[in-house]
Amino acid sequence: MLTVSNVGRIFPGGVEALRDTSLRLDESDFIALLGPSGCGKSTLLRLIAGLDQPTSGRMLWDGRPPAPGDIGFVFQDATLLPWSTAEDNVFLPLRLRGVSRSEAMPMVHAALHRVGLTGFETARPRALSGGMRMRVSIARALVTRPRLLLMDEPFAALDEFTRHKLQADLLDVWREAGCTVVFVTHSIYEAAFLARRVVLMTPRPGKIAREMTSALQPAAETRLDPAYAAFVAEISRAMQAALA
Amino acid sequence: MRGAPALFGLLALALWEAAVRLLGVPVYVLPGPIAIVQAFAADPVGLLESLTSTLFVTFAALAMAAVLGGAMAVAMSASRLAQAAIQPWAVALQVTPLPAIAPLIIIWVGQPFLALVVCATIVAFFPLFASTASGLASAPPELNDLFHLYGARRWQTMRLLRLPAALPYFLTGLRISGGLALVGAVVAELVAGSGGFASGLAYRILEASFRLEIPRMFAALVLLALAGILLNYGLGAIGQAILRRRGGV
Ligand SMILES: Nc1ncnc2c1ncn2[C@@H]1O[C@H](COP(=O)(O)OP(=O)(O)O)[C@@H](O)[C@H]1O
Ligand SMILES: [Mg+2]
């Protein structure tokens, strides 16, 4: 889908956030970008989204470059419009493309249903819990049926029980939607549980230290699987070695 | 608990009246509350008409300031050029003391009512303008990124993100500017004096002070203060109601 080729990003002021980074994204893959904070994970995600441009290197898309709606983005905060209902928040990406309300509503309700929010269509963000707000945010990213879903530490601010539930539900959503997911996290457990491929990053300057492939089932039961604990240990060792 | 402010007020008034009487303070220095009420009762229609006149100027100025301040803030947020052109003038207007330019405005505008409105608008303009401008820029950068990601046009970002984000700021500005519009109206009336629009409350205060009708002067002052308090609470309540209706800040 996308080849990130020897990409570097130096911010004005001289911070080298990313150096010589190469990465391939395949169709229907689930990649975790894992690393300590400040190692350039968000920078890489923004470059992939086209929200920022690399200082060096290239981003090569297979076929046509992405159009608006081909990429969904979920931030650490739900970043909903506080004055709009859940429904209107999910409607937003379609509205910006000129889709009429009546045309959009079936898609909006399908997206809300997919994240388990049927019945909360007219609720305002203020009336929803943190986990539910994040679900609205995910529904908003899914409503355009993106080929690529980018998520920047989306569950980092949630309590552990809510986080586990959302992680399991995200796997279902991913399998149903069939899109590629790039999931930024600083949690080894989260990366090991979710990803098909774990990409380890190290800071100053940010770069990719290692890639690891998961042999686990992408399912909720995986958390109890001894192989999951083993994978967590393997990633931890690799991280220690990379940071040493 | 809720009656505490009223109770405190009554107590203060009683103390005031007692002090004035016991110390034998002459009425032309400090009248007691009863003398002030009597002065009001002597000519309620005249004083209330003057209050209406001043409030008329206040509301006209507030409306002008809301339209101009809002529109200029939007123009500034939509275009760098407009920002470069408007900002220094807005600041210049804000730091110029009204009494210094009011005489000029009164001469230039000619029509007395309009001249007062222009003066009060100048005072009321800046808080509305400044708070609306910061409200338009208040949306978190992630939301701006999101609009960018979905290929939003500039007018779409304005209509669906910036304007709604600015609404609470605009309403706060309106509340602050309401009080300032009243102050501006009074100051302009004072500067205009009898040559101006000789019917506002400030004119009544001047007139009463020339005639040493100090209780009447106080009565006019009390009306003015009450009007300011009501204006402040009223605009605050309207703002709250609008935000509540919208359902979210
Ligand atoms: N817009 C920016 N301007 C300057 N420096 C930045 C900017 N964005 C990020 N950085 C710096 O780049 C480095 C990597 O940041 P980031 O990609 O946000 O890391 P992460 O998401 O892994 O925590 C950090 O040192 C950060 O301070
Ligand atoms: Mg980050």
Side-chain angles (χ1 to χ4, degrees):
Chain A
M1 167 179 276
L2 169 68
T3 308
V4 179
S5 170
N6 306 103
V7 158
R9 178 68 172 108
I10 301 173
F11 285 108
V15 178
E16 188 174 11
L18 220 52
R19 178 188 287 181
D20 199 24
T21 296
S22 297
L23 181 68
R24 240 204 92 67
L25 307 188
D26 297 317
E27 301 291 339
S28 307
D29 205 351
F30 196 129
I31 292 170
L33 289 182
L34 174 66
S37 75
C39 71
K41 306 183 295 292
S42 299
T43 303
L44 180 54
L45 210 62
R46 290 172 55 82
L47 288 173
I48 295 172
L51 290 169
D52 189 18
Q53 304 306 319
T55 322
S56 59
R58 303 213 295 155
M59 321 283 297
L60 300 166
W61 291 89
D62 303 346
R64 66 181 171 88
D70 284 346
I71 297 181
F73 207 116
V74 179
F75 301 91
Q76 177 168 348
D77 292 318
T79 57
L80 304 175
L81 301 176
W83 51 83
S84 290
T85 60
E87 190 174 77
D88 283 343
N89 269 293
V90 176
F91 174 36
L92 180 73
L94 298 174
R95 187 174 188 180
L96 291 174
R97 280 208 267 164
V99 180
S100 77
R101 202 184 170 79
S102 55
E103 215 180 324
M105 274 311 135
M107 295 182 254
V108 168
H109 291 156
L112 281 170
H113 180 72
R114 191 180 273 171
V115 298
L117 281 184
T118 299
F120 293 93
E121 291 82 358
T122 57
R124 314 257 172 194
R126 200 178 39 178
L128 298 173
S129 69
M132 287 161 99
R133 269 181 240 158
M134 188 45 73
R135 288 173 187 274
V136 177
S137 190
I138 294 171
R140 178 179 64 189
L142 291 174
V143 78
T144 58
R145 304 188 151 276
R147 295 154 59 201
L148 179 57
L149 180 56
L150 305 175
M151 308 181 87
D152 195 350
E153 305 191 19
F155 306 149
L158 303 177
D159 67 83
E160 190 156 8
F161 301 97
T162 310
R163 184 157 59 233
H164 281 194
K165 183 82 179 85
L166 264 93
Q167 286 167 346
D169 290 354
L170 175 63
L171 287 178
D172 292 340
V173 164
W174 167 62
R175 268 187 314 233
E176 260 179 66
C179 57
T180 304
V181 178
V182 181
F183 190 104
V184 165
T185 178
H186 54 228
S187 159
I188 293 174
Y189 301 97
E190 190 168 44
F193 176 71
L194 288 173
R196 305 288 82 219
R197 251 164 78 209
V198 177
V199 175
L200 292 187
M201 295 183 67
T202 50
R204 276 174 285 277
K207 56 180 172 214
I208 293 177
R210 216 176 133 186
E211 280 194 38
M212 309 168 85
T213 305
S214 169
L216 303 170
Q217 285 296 315
E221 307 81 69
T222 297
R223 236 186 279 280
L224 306 172
D225 187 341
Y228 165 65
F231 191 37
V232 167
E234 187 191 340
I235 299 172
S236 302
R237 268 195 302 276
M239 201 68 194
Q240 267 172 10
L243 290 174
Chain B
M1 250 352 242
R2 301 204 50 171
L7 207 68
F8 178 75
L10 277 178
L11 194 69
L13 285 178
L15 276 176
W16 177 3
E17 185 70 40
V20 164
R21 279 171 196 256
L22 289 176
L23 301 173
V25 180
V27 79
Y28 55 83
V29 173
L30 179 65
I34 292 175
I36 294 170
V37 171
Q38 279 168 345
F40 174 76
D43 178 24
V45 175
L47 284 172
L48 286 177
E49 263 176 12
S50 295
L51 175 65
T52 312
S53 162
T54 299
L55 284 180
F56 221 69
V57 173
T58 303
F59 282 118
L62 187 59
M64 287 260 286
V67 170
L68 285 177
M72 285 187 163
V74 169
M76 235 178 67
S77 143
S79 126
R80 290 245 168 108
L81 183 68
Q83 176 164 17
I86 293 171
Q87 191 123 46
W89 291 106
V91 173
L93 203 60
Q94 199 234 344
V95 298
T96 310
L98 180 63
I101 44 170
L104 257 185
I105 291 168
I106 289 163
I107 292 167
W108 283 347
V109 175
Q111 208 280 325
F113 174 73
L114 211 59
L116 294 183
V117 172
V118 170
C119 289
T121 303
I122 288 174
V123 183
F125 168 83
F126 198 79
L128 264 162
F129 167 76
S131 63
T132 307
S134 63
L136 287 165
S138 70
E142 288 87 356
L143 269 173
N144 279 296
D145 281 345
L146 195 80
F147 274 71
H148 184 74
L149 187 73
Y150 288 116
R153 306 299 200 128
R154 281 210 317 196
W155 64 266
Q156 286 179 313
T157 308
M158 182 59 81
R159 198 176 109 43
L160 297 174
L161 181 59
R162 291 182 176 220
L163 285 177
L167 181 64
Y169 292 75
F170 173 81
L171 292 170
T172 304
L174 197 67
R175 185 175 183 179
I176 297 168
S177 289
L180 286 179
L182 183 62
V183 171
V186 169
V187 170
E189 281 175 10
L190 287 177
V191 173
S194 57
F197 195 55
S199 68
L201 259 190
Y203 181 68
R204 293 284 163 247
I205 291 172
L206 272 185
E207 187 188 52
S209 82
F210 289 147
R211 295 184 190 157
L212 280 182
E213 292 171 347
I214 306 305
R216 182 174 162 84
M217 194 176 150
F218 268 86
L221 267 177
V222 168
L223 279 183
L224 207 53
L226 286 178
I229 291 168
L230 278 180
L231 192 64
N232 192 15
Y233 277 103
L235 289 171
I238 289 171
Q240 294 273 310
I242 290 175
L243 290 181
R244 231 193 341 268
R245 258 200 71 159
R246 182 169 80 155
V249 177

